Amino acid sequence: MIEADNTLHTVTIAINGARKTAAVEPRRLLVHLIRDDLGLTGTHIGCDTSQCGACTVEIDGQAVKSCTVLAVMADGASITTIEGVAPKGGALHPIQAAFHEHHALQCGFCTPGMIMSVRQLLRDHPSPSESEIRHHLTGNICRCTGYHNIVRAVESLATEAHHD
């Protein structure tokens, strides 16, 4: 019989620009560290099986579903959550503003994950076609089926230069 390693491991991450250290069990998922230990509840848990994308965050600048990453794997990484995308002072990030302007949210549960995925899309493809937008968002599920307005919001950003 294989014994489980229940020893706590120290994990240090830079999250939204702030350095944080936590002791975690080896099997603790990054999404639980972010939500439960660090209190950043904008990252949602929708399915726990990497199907819905609600838990999408950026690890070292790459969009990742945080329910697929062990917290210990993120040790030393720089993580951005939805709480870290808007500039200081209360203004919305341009992607958040476009979602608002184009009514690209209904219940809002998927919105943080969608925005984090769109950031990756626009970094990789600054002027995506509608087809590219829809293809890129296949890993994010909107249970309200509000995809049309989400695509319109992203299209509105596609020609703008300020969507880091």
Side-chain angles (χ1 to χ4, degrees):
M1 177 175 206
I2 299 172
E3 292 186 30
D5 177 11
N6 292 325
T7 306
L8 295 180
H9 297 268
T10 300
V11 173
T12 300
I13 58 175
I15 190 157
N16 301 330
R19 185 181 163 100
K20 301 286 183 179
T21 299
V24 299
E25 294 179 2
R27 293 185 179 194
R28 187 158 187 81
L29 294 174
L30 179 60
V31 69
H32 295 296
L33 172 66
I34 291 170
R35 287 183 55 84
D36 303 336
D37 299 341
L38 303 179
L40 298 170
T41 57
T43 301
H44 293 162
I45 300 171
C47 66
D48 251 347
T49 59
S50 75
Q51 300 297 308
C52 74
C55 66
T56 303
V57 299
E58 292 173 3
I59 299 177
D60 294 330
Q62 296 295 309
V64 175
K65 294 175 181 176
S66 60
C67 75
T68 65
V69 178
L70 296 171
V72 294
M73 295 168 67
D75 187 33
S78 176
I79 297 172
T80 303
T81 68
I82 191 67
E83 290 92 343
V85 301
K88 301 289 183 205
L92 295 175
H93 183 277
I95 297 172
Q96 292 172 311
F99 270 55
H100 180 263
E101 181 179 335
H102 294 275
H103 309 286
L105 53 96
Q106 292 181 28
C107 79
F109 188 84
C110 70
T111 305
M114 288 282 186
I115 288 173
M116 299 308 288
S117 291
V118 168
R119 282 170 49 101
Q120 182 75 57
L121 170 65
L122 294 176
R123 275 195 302 269
D124 295 346
H125 305 284
S127 297
S129 66
E130 179 180 343
S131 175
E132 289 170 324
I133 294 167
R134 290 184 184 278
H135 177 74
H136 184 82
L137 293 177
T138 55
N140 293 78
I141 296 173
C142 173
R143 59 187 177 187
C144 302
T145 68
Y147 298 104
H148 180 75
N149 288 350
I150 292 169
V151 171
R152 295 297 159 258
V154 177
E155 285 179 326
S156 76
L157 294 162
T159 56
E160 297 178 23
H162 62 289
H163 45 62
D164 64 333

